[in-house]
Amino acid sequence: RFSIDPAVFCGRHHKLEGLTDCEIDLNDCHLQFNQVSPGIVIEDCVRVRLTNGTIQGTSQIATIGRPFETDEAIKRVGFEVLPEFRGQLQISPITGEVPLLTVGTSGRSMEDQWGLVPRGYFEWFVNREPRLNRFYYEHSTGKFLPSSDQIRPVGFDSQVDSLWLLHQNNSGHGFLLDNEDGRGIIDLSLVDLTFRNIPGMAIAGQIQRGLYVSNCRFQKDDTNPLAIFAIASDTIHINASEGDIVVEDTIFDASLDDKINIKANYWKITEVNPIEHTLVVEPAGRKTSLHRWGTDAQRSVIIDHELNQIATVQLDGTSIRENGKRHRIKLIDRPSVAWRGNLIANVDTAGARIVIRNNRFRETRSQAILVQGSHFVVQSNQFDRIAGPAIRVHFGLNEWYESISPRNILIENNQFGDCGFAPSKPNVAILFQQTDVNGDPISLIRDVRLRGNRFTQFRRRGSAGN
């Protein structure tokens, strides 16, 4: 076991850079990260294989508490952390506060472990907006007390026995894939690795092309009997790549967000220089951050808000990152319709050729797999206790401008248990969702085949039957 501290406060714990054609065998070592900050940052690596080890983060991702009424007249509610969990709460090293982000109904399983409960499930985003704090933690009582403007939402039952209380979200990723410098990340293999207690995403970032995840395990901390979740946020989150991604024979244990999210985004043109043939692009929806928007000769499309493709362009050189959200790109030929306000997408980094097979997905408050690319196979997986749809095939301009062109999708021989049980989410195992900028339905997803899928415990809302 190796205990690792970052070189600077809240910095990365370790960095792998400039490696080519090599295998890193951790030899069954256990890497313990000691701060809530990025674990291993990987950049400028080509054909690198990491194998045979355990990656573990610090902090208590979540605790169990019970709600209580603080003022019956205006329906305020607070949360009391169960006594056995209070000693493991890690306070913020900067503010001294114990953060609270989300709450949801919980219960004990047949294995006497805490987790999500499909029956009567409810969740509440309490402190997700910046600079918002609806609750503050009182150390002497172990209670989260409401601020003066907090009123419980409609549908929240203060008589429930127990709730999970989320204290970390995207604070410390396990592997952070930084695709900015050098050749980028090409053909990275992660094999026979265990990720435990990650206070962020387990594998997150951007690659140039090629990611292979095999025989990995995303698990709760088995040394902590009070561990509730393995991962605080998405388990695998890849934003903008040329594709060739395989995830197979892997166990995805309890987590708090998407198990697999491989996507690209539409961007908005905010500046045009007709003399130099350059454009400045910024996020159109979610404040997406990329370290490398595009490289020489990659293809992009320009569309208007009615989804009409009005131009195809080609990049002349690698994009320049002006800050975390702004990128300057140069085009070989600038079309006359490259106007401010139009949308642009790099079609070569839209995440094509994805295979997800023979995995087990268990327990999340979100969905298991977001299908937002083309040439996508979801095959022979098991899903259970997924609060949202197990598989969500998605194109949406009214949400986060995610997904470029979902097509040629195969979903076969998967097994679905309890899925879609959260009242705020669609009560389906497989969801097809496609909307324009106004949120109206459109028809864009195409060439989809579903076959051989089995539904073993799926419940329609209000029904106790299978």
Side-chain angles (χ1 to χ4, degrees):
R1 179 185 292 263
F2 291 89
S3 182
I4 304 175
D5 291 295
V8 297
F9 179 70
C10 286
R12 63 176 182 262
H13 287 74
H14 191 63
K15 185 176 184 179
L16 299 177
E17 180 181 15
L19 303 177
T20 301
D21 292 323
C22 68
E23 176 170 335
I24 301 173
D25 188 340
L26 296 178
N27 196 26
D28 207 23
C29 287
H30 189 125
L31 305 184
Q32 170 69 59
F33 301 143
N34 291 332
Q35 287 190 17
V36 181
S37 61
I40 297 178
V41 174
I42 302 174
E43 65 178 51
D44 190 21
C45 287
V46 177
R47 294 181 299 278
V48 172
R49 174 184 168 102
L50 281 84
T51 185
N52 190 23
T54 296
I55 308 297
Q56 180 155 339
T58 188
S59 86
Q60 184 75 14
I61 292 174
T63 57
I64 298 295
R66 58 174 65 93
F68 63 91
E69 297 279 2
T70 64
D71 191 328
E72 180 61 30
I74 57 176
K75 301 296 185 183
R76 286 190 188 145
V77 65
F79 310 105
E80 180 181 7
V81 179
L82 297 187
E84 58 267 35
F85 284 92
R86 295 175 194 173
Q88 297 198 21
L89 266 181
Q90 177 175 318
I91 64 173
S92 168
I94 299 175
T95 65
E97 297 176 351
V98 177
L100 177 64
L101 302 171
T102 314
V103 302
T105 50
S106 65
R108 288 187 181 274
S109 66
M110 292 174 51
E111 297 82 15
D112 199 31
Q113 294 181 333
W114 290 104
L116 276 65
V117 288
R119 294 181 185 274
Y121 182 79
F122 182 88
E123 65 184 28
W124 180 15
F125 289 85
V126 296
N127 278 340
R128 288 299 184 102
E129 295 86 354
R131 296 178 297 279
L132 176 65
N133 190 14
R134 293 193 179 104
F135 296 89
Y136 62 94
Y137 187 66
E138 189 176 69
H139 290 265
S140 60
T141 63
K143 292 180 179 180
F144 284 96
L145 300 175
S147 60
S148 59
D149 62 346
Q150 184 273 313
I151 299 177
R152 68 181 181 188
V154 175
F156 182 78
D157 183 2
S158 61
Q159 302 303 311
V160 298
D161 293 332
S162 57
L163 297 162
W164 51 262
L165 313 175
L166 178 64
H167 309 298
Q168 300 289 350
N169 184 29
N170 281 321
S171 304
H173 305 320
F175 285 172
L176 181 57
L177 311 182
D178 185 345
N179 200 51
E180 181 175 17
D181 296 328
R183 300 155 295 177
I185 300 173
I186 300 173
D187 292 337
L188 174 66
S189 297
L190 306 175
V191 180
D192 195 20
L193 297 173
T194 299
F195 294 80
R196 292 179 181 152
N197 197 58
I198 305 298
M201 301 182 189
I203 301 169
Q206 185 181 2
I207 62 172
Q208 191 71 16
R209 182 196 59 77
L211 175 65
Y212 180 56
V213 179
S214 176
N215 197 33
C216 289
R217 297 156 296 279
F218 302 94
Q219 297 178 333
K220 301 177 186 180
D221 178 7
D222 60 2
T223 67
N224 178 11
L226 300 179
I228 308 166
F229 299 106
I231 313 294
S233 187
D234 289 2
T235 304
I236 298 177
H237 183 112
I238 305 299
N239 189 17
S241 75
E242 293 181 30
D244 295 338
I245 298 175
V246 177
V247 181
E248 63 182 4
D249 302 320
T250 289
I251 297 173
F252 293 79
D253 208 343
S255 63
L256 268 301
D257 218 323
D258 304 328
K259 302 289 192 181
I260 297 178
N261 184 354
I262 300 169
K263 67 180 183 68
N265 290 70
Y266 279 98
W267 295 68
K268 180 171 57 178
I269 299 173
T270 57
E271 292 182 20
V272 178
N273 187 322
I275 298 175
E276 296 182 358
H277 288 190
T278 62
L279 309 175
V280 171
V281 298
E282 299 182 31
R286 185 193 298 269
K287 298 302 181 183
T288 303
S289 178
L290 290 179
H291 285 180
R292 191 198 304 245
W293 196 91
T295 56
D296 187 45
Q298 286 185 333
R299 301 164 300 152
S300 296
V301 293
I302 299 175
I303 68 169
D304 59 23
H305 280 274
E306 302 301 320
L307 288 180
N308 297 310
Q309 182 175 325
I310 54 180
T312 300
V313 295
Q314 194 170 17
L315 272 62
D316 184 7
T318 299
S319 59
I320 298 173
R321 182 180 180 225
E322 296 192 338
N323 60 33
K325 311 297 179 185
R326 286 168 50 97
H327 300 262
R328 185 173 296 275
I329 61 176
K330 185 175 183 180
L331 308 178
I332 292 177
D333 294 300
R334 187 192 73 83
S336 60
V337 292
W339 302 326
R340 290 178 59 186
N342 278 337
L343 299 177
I344 185 169
N346 186 333
V347 295
D348 283 339
T349 61
R353 302 176 305 280
I354 314 295
V355 177
I356 302 173
R357 62 190 173 202
N358 299 329
N359 305 289
R360 180 185 174 189
F361 298 92
R362 179 182 177 272
E363 202 164 348
T364 178
R365 53 149 294 275
S366 190
Q367 51 257 324
I369 301 174
L370 268 168
V371 177
Q372 301 188 111
S374 58
H375 314 302
F376 209 119
V377 175
V378 182
Q379 184 181 63
S380 302
N381 303 283
Q382 297 182 34
F383 303 90
D384 191 44
R385 299 176 78 179
I386 310 298
I391 301 171
R392 180 181 176 188
V393 185
H394 176 244
F395 175 92
L397 291 187
N398 67 314
E399 292 182 329
W400 310 117
Y401 288 80
E402 293 181 349
S403 180
I404 305 304
S405 180
R407 61 188 178 90
N408 191 23
I409 298 164
L410 173 63
I411 301 174
E412 72 169 354
N413 296 335
N414 300 286
Q415 180 174 312
F416 301 90
D418 275 318
C419 301
F421 54 77
S424 59
K425 299 178 174 64
N427 185 212
V428 296
I430 304 173
L431 173 68
F432 291 85
Q433 185 174 31
Q434 41 191 336
T435 53
D436 64 13
V437 69
N438 299 313
D440 297 324
I442 57 175
S443 180
L444 183 75
I445 298 171
R446 63 187 189 272
D447 301 328
V448 180
R449 176 175 292 183
L450 288 82
R451 63 187 182 195
N453 298 292
R454 293 173 292 159
F455 304 86
T456 58
Q457 290 180 304
F458 181 77
R459 294 185 181 93
R460 286 293 178 189
R461 250 172 232 146
S463 171
N466 290 341

